[in-house]
Structure formats: structure tokens, C-alpha cells
Amino acid sequence: IRAYNSLASENDRISERDIAYIEENERVPEHLRFKGSDPFYSKKNFIHLRRTSGNVQLTVFEGGHSGNLPAALDFLARQRRWAPADWSLPASARATGVTGVTR
């Protein structure tokens, strides 16, 4: 979270108070909880928190210290040199070829 904060615009940063809450309680405060959907994340590895600021995005999801390779590869495939980051998502997991993911 602090790495995200170091790259994010001042208005988009997560407060030290919220970071302390997350560290102490091992959960995200209600006002920061992700309420959207993303076809790369299922009920098993659901998203707790997502913040975007310009070309940087933070996603905190259930899954321990694992990554999400399909999400990373899809993101990289959509990027173009000298263009702003493309944070769009496919309409469904089916479009990505990801299996076992539900919305």
C-alpha cells in the first residue's frame, strides 16, 4: 500500500490511519472495500481493495502471497508505448480464456 502511495497522486493515496487499521485488523475498512467486479477474480480470491491513480493500480485480494498471472498478462497485452495505462477489463472471464472464475 505504501508503494502505491509513493506513486499515486496525493488525492488518491490511502491514509496512514487506514493503513494502520488494515495492519491491526487484517481487513479493509468498509469505506475502502471494493464493490465492483473483475472477471479475473472469483469468490475464492475476491478483491478486498482496489485503487487506481494515473498509471498505478493497487489490488488487494484474498490469496495470501500469490499473484494473479492471467490478470497480469491480460493487462500487459493491452498496454501501448507512450499511451496512458489501459485499466479496462474484458466483459467476461470467458473472453479471457480464464476458467473457474465467476463474476
Side-chain angles (χ1 to χ4, degrees):
I1 294 173
R2 289 186 177 93
Y4 164 84
N5 277 352
S6 70
L7 298 170
S9 299
E10 190 172 342
N11 296 348
D12 298 327
R13 294 177 186 152
I14 297 169
S15 72
E16 281 299 320
R17 182 178 179 176
D18 286 332
I19 293 172
Y21 179 91
I22 293 167
E23 290 174 341
E24 291 169 18
N25 298 287
E26 295 185 1
R27 65 181 187 176
V28 174
E30 182 64 36
H31 69 277
L32 290 179
R33 289 193 186 146
F34 179 72
K35 294 177 177 55
S37 65
D38 184 321
F40 289 102
Y41 296 84
S42 66
K43 291 179 182 178
K44 180 180 176 184
N45 64 347
F46 67 94
I47 298 172
H48 293 280
L49 165 68
R50 175 168 284 165
R51 278 309 242 318
T52 303
S53 180
N55 285 336
V56 63
Q57 185 176 78
L58 168 70
T59 302
V60 176
F61 64 96
E62 193 67 33
H65 292 278
S66 65
N68 188 324
L69 185 59
L73 293 175
D74 179 77
F75 170 76
L76 291 172
R78 287 182 277 105
Q79 304 316 303
R80 300 293 173 253
R81 184 179 285 206
W82 314 121
D86 178 354
W87 297 112
S88 65
L89 293 171
S92 71
R94 197 170 290 120
T96 67
V98 176
T99 58
V101 176
T102 58
R103 292 189 106 194

